[in-house]
Amino acid sequence: MAPDRAALAGARVLVTGASRGYGAAIARALSAAQAHLVLTATSTAHLARVVEDCRADGAACEAVDLDLHSSTSVDAAAAQVADLVPRLEGVVLNAGVLGPVGPLADSDPDAIRTAIEVDLVNQVRLLQRLSPLIADRAGVVLVTSGAAGRAGYGAYAIAKAGLDAVGQMLREEWSARGIRVVSVNPGPVRTAMRAEAHPGEDPATVPPPRERVDPVLAVLCGEDPGPRVQATEWGLS
């Protein structure tokens, strides 16, 4: 069943990693539903086109710099979000890096540390800083991956498995507030990260990100499909 996008009108939603790929597709779908958007990227200059498109839809849209390599940037971004909106009815944590892929034993330890810092440690830090802003009965989506815990995907697999665990923990810890915390795996989608991970793949054989946004919108609309959702299976009986 398609999500009731009318329920998103006026909802304040933060989307990280919104300058391209899956994050940009989510942002554009939310703007079409007239959500009030706060979008982040490592540089707001990279966000300019997406912000322009969202505002052209008539949606309120603000841009915030967020570099997940830096805890200082995380703290500053959270403070800026608090200045922009009094609360958040939705949060989508989509930003991340691939890091080194291949056998874990052969991966550079410093590169592993950096990827885990970005994809896990500072994701948790951002949620901690945003916690006072997240409204009761809000929807929180953690964008995960089928690579979580999977051999050959190095630090990314470790970090995504950890993020899934964070989602499960917060789902229980925030349940009294009615906050729905759901990990959504979009599956294979045509993004720069996918091309980096699978350089020999024909991108024409992979669906565009906009075809996999419905589970995210459903959670933000008020549905609770469970702790982890596969977007490739969404809507199938």
Side-chain angles (χ1 to χ4, degrees):
M1 180 182 297
D4 179 13
R5 301 189 184 204
L8 292 166
R12 287 155 287 213
V13 182
L14 172 74
V15 182
T16 71
S19 62
R20 59 181 183 169
Y22 196 50
I26 292 166
R28 289 187 170 105
L30 288 168
S31 70
Q34 299 299 295
H36 181 154
L37 296 171
V38 181
L39 306 181
T40 83
T42 304
S43 168
T44 52
H46 299 154
L47 265 180
R49 176 61 183 274
V50 178
V51 170
E52 180 182 332
D53 289 348
C54 292
R55 289 176 176 167
D57 279 337
C61 186
E62 307 290 345
V64 173
D65 282 325
L66 171 61
D67 182 357
L68 284 163
H69 290 85
S70 164
S71 59
T72 300
S73 176
V74 170
D75 294 349
Q80 187 177 351
V81 173
D83 287 339
L84 290 170
V85 292
R87 64 182 178 276
L88 292 165
E89 284 81 32
V91 174
V92 181
L93 296 192
N94 167 75
V97 296
L98 180 63
V101 295
L104 194 59
D106 298 334
S107 298
D108 175 21
D110 290 334
I112 292 173
R113 183 184 303 110
T114 296
I116 292 175
E117 183 94 359
V118 171
D119 291 342
L120 179 58
V121 176
N122 278 332
Q123 305 279 354
V124 174
R125 187 183 186 98
L126 181 60
L127 284 170
Q128 289 175 323
R129 298 297 184 265
L130 292 175
S131 178
L133 287 180
I134 299 175
D136 291 351
R137 296 177 295 282
V140 175
V141 173
L142 310 182
V143 177
T144 187
S145 170
R150 186 174 168 187
Y153 283 85
Y156 184 74
I158 296 170
K160 287 298 185 181
L163 195 63
D164 283 345
V166 168
Q168 184 67 60
M169 292 166 68
L170 290 178
R171 183 177 175 84
E172 294 182 26
E173 293 171 4
W174 287 349
S175 62
R177 296 176 55 195
I179 297 174
R180 304 170 307 284
V181 183
V182 181
S183 294
V184 174
N185 172 20
V189 287
R190 197 182 307 159
T191 64
M193 183 181 288
R194 175 78 185 182
E196 184 183 352
H198 301 273
E201 183 176 70
D202 179 0
T205 65
V206 184
R210 66 177 179 274
E211 293 186 8
R212 298 282 171 80
V213 301
D214 272 4
V216 175
L217 299 186
V219 174
L220 299 176
C221 284
E223 293 187 37
D224 187 0
R228 200 169 191 272
V229 170
Q230 308 294 332
T232 55
E233 299 172 4
W234 187 261
L236 301 178
S237 58

